[in-house]
Coordinates of all heavy atoms in Angstrom, one line a residue:
V464 N 1.1 5.0 11.9 CA 2.3 4.4 11.5 C 2.2 2.8 11.4 O 2.7 2.2 10.5 CB 3.4 4.7 12.5 CG1 4.7 4.0 12.2 CG2 3.7 6.2 12.5
E465 N 1.4 2.2 12.4 CA 1.3 0.8 12.4 C 0.5 0.3 11.1 O 0.8 -0.7 10.5 CB 0.5 0.4 13.6 CG 1.4 0.5 14.9 CD 0.7 0.2 16.2 OE1 -0.3 0.9 16.5 OE2 1.0 -0.9 16.8
Y466 N -0.6 1.1 10.8 CA -1.3 0.7 9.5 C -0.4 1.0 8.3 O -0.5 0.2 7.3 CB -2.6 1.5 9.5 CG -3.7 1.0 10.4 CD1 -4.0 1.7 11.5 CD2 -4.4 -0.2 10.1 CE1 -5.0 1.2 12.4 CE2 -5.4 -0.7 10.9 CZ -5.7 0.0 12.1 OH -6.6 -0.5 12.9
L467 N 0.4 2.0 8.3 CA 1.3 2.3 7.2 C 2.2 1.2 7.0 O 2.5 0.7 5.9 CB 2.0 3.6 7.5 CG 3.1 4.0 6.5 CD1 2.6 4.1 5.1 CD2 3.8 5.2 6.9
D468 N 2.8 0.7 8.1 CA 3.8 -0.4 8.1 C 3.1 -1.7 7.5 O 3.7 -2.4 6.7 CB 4.3 -0.7 9.5 CG 5.2 0.3 10.0 OD1 5.7 1.1 9.1 OD2 5.5 0.4 11.2
A469 N 1.8 -1.9 7.9 CA 1.1 -3.1 7.4 C 0.9 -3.0 5.9 O 1.1 -4.0 5.2 CB -0.2 -3.2 8.1
L470 N 0.5 -1.8 5.4 CA 0.3 -1.7 4.0 C 1.6 -1.8 3.2 O 1.6 -2.3 2.1 CB -0.4 -0.3 3.7 CG -1.9 -0.2 4.1 CD1 -2.4 1.2 3.8 CD2 -2.7 -1.3 3.4
S471 N 2.7 -1.2 3.8 CA 4.0 -1.2 3.1 C 4.5 -2.6 2.8 O 5.2 -2.9 1.8 CB 5.0 -0.4 3.9 OG 4.6 0.9 4.0
T472 N 4.1 -3.6 3.6 CA 4.5 -5.0 3.4 C 3.7 -5.7 2.3 O 4.0 -6.8 1.9 CB 4.4 -5.8 4.7 OG1 3.0 -5.9 5.1 CG2 5.2 -5.1 5.8
M473 N 2.6 -5.0 1.9 CA 1.7 -5.6 0.9 C 1.9 -5.1 -0.5 O 1.1 -5.4 -1.4 CB 0.3 -5.4 1.3 CG 0.0 -6.0 2.7 SD -1.7 -5.7 3.3 CE -1.7 -6.3 4.9
T474 N 2.9 -4.2 -0.7 CA 3.0 -3.7 -2.1 C 3.5 -4.7 -3.1 O 3.2 -4.6 -4.3 CB 4.0 -2.5 -2.1 OG1 5.2 -2.9 -1.5 CG2 3.4 -1.3 -1.2
G475 N 4.3 -5.7 -2.6 CA 4.8 -6.7 -3.5 C 5.5 -6.1 -4.7 O 6.4 -5.3 -4.5
T476 N 5.2 -6.5 -5.9 CA 5.8 -6.1 -7.1 C 5.1 -4.8 -7.7 O 5.5 -4.4 -8.8 CB 5.9 -7.2 -8.2 OG1 4.5 -7.6 -8.5 CG2 6.7 -8.3 -7.7
M477 N 4.0 -4.4 -7.0 CA 3.3 -3.2 -7.5 C 4.2 -2.0 -7.5 O 5.0 -1.8 -6.7 CB 2.1 -3.0 -6.7 CG 0.9 -3.9 -6.9 SD -0.6 -3.4 -5.9 CE -0.1 -3.8 -4.2
T478 N 3.9 -1.1 -8.5 CA 4.5 0.3 -8.4 C 3.9 1.0 -7.3 O 2.8 0.6 -6.8 CB 4.3 1.0 -9.7 OG1 2.9 1.3 -9.9 CG2 4.8 0.3 -10.9
R479 N 4.5 2.1 -6.8 CA 3.9 2.9 -5.7 C 2.5 3.4 -6.2 O 1.6 3.5 -5.4 CB 4.8 4.0 -5.4 CG 6.2 3.6 -4.8 CD 6.1 3.0 -3.5 NE 5.6 3.9 -2.4 CZ 5.6 3.6 -1.1 NH1 6.0 2.4 -0.7 NH2 5.2 4.5 -0.2
S480 N 2.4 3.8 -7.4 CA 1.1 4.4 -7.9 C 0.0 3.3 -7.9 O -1.1 3.6 -7.5 CB 1.3 5.0 -9.3 OG 2.2 6.1 -9.3
D481 N 0.4 2.1 -8.4 CA -0.6 1.0 -8.4 C -1.0 0.7 -7.0 O -2.2 0.4 -6.8 CB 0.0 -0.2 -9.1 CG 0.0 -0.1 -10.6 OD1 -0.7 0.9 -11.2 OD2 0.7 -0.8 -11.3
A482 N -0.1 0.6 -6.1 CA -0.4 0.3 -4.7 C -1.3 1.3 -4.1 O -2.3 0.9 -3.4 CB 0.9 0.1 -3.9
L483 N -1.0 2.6 -4.3 CA -1.9 3.6 -3.7 C -3.3 3.6 -4.3 O -4.3 3.8 -3.6 CB -1.2 5.0 -4.0 CG -2.0 6.2 -3.4 CD1 -2.1 6.0 -1.9 CD2 -1.3 7.5 -3.7
E484 N -3.4 3.3 -5.6 CA -4.7 3.2 -6.3 C -5.5 2.1 -5.6 O -6.6 2.2 -5.3 CB -4.5 2.9 -7.8 CG -4.3 4.1 -8.7 CD -4.4 3.7 -10.1 OE1 -5.2 2.7 -10.4 OE2 -3.8 4.4 -10.9
L485 N -4.8 0.9 -5.5 CA -5.5 -0.3 -4.9 C -5.9 0.0 -3.5 O -7.1 -0.3 -3.1 CB -4.7 -1.5 -5.1 CG -5.3 -2.8 -4.6 CD1 -6.6 -3.1 -5.4 CD2 -4.3 -4.0 -4.8
F486 N -5.0 0.5 -2.7 CA -5.3 0.7 -1.3 C -6.5 1.7 -1.1 O -7.4 1.6 -0.3 CB -4.1 1.3 -0.5 CG -2.9 0.3 -0.5 CD1 -1.6 0.8 -0.2 CD2 -3.1 -1.0 -0.7 CE1 -0.6 -0.1 -0.2 CE2 -2.0 -1.9 -0.6 CZ -0.8 -1.5 -0.4
T487 N -6.4 2.8 -1.9 CA -7.5 3.8 -1.8 C -8.8 3.3 -2.3 O -9.9 3.6 -1.6 CB -7.1 5.0 -2.7 OG1 -5.8 5.5 -2.3 CG2 -8.1 6.2 -2.6
L488 N -8.8 2.5 -3.3 CA -10.1 1.9 -3.8 C -10.7 1.0 -2.7 O -11.9 1.1 -2.4 CB -9.8 1.1 -5.1 CG -11.0 0.3 -5.6 CD1 -12.1 1.3 -6.2 CD2 -10.6 -0.7 -6.6

């Protein structure tokens, strides 16, 4: 949950799909 919260603050203007792509890469 803590790592999820950290990533959620970094999405910015990205779409959810773009954010998931970038995080996974």
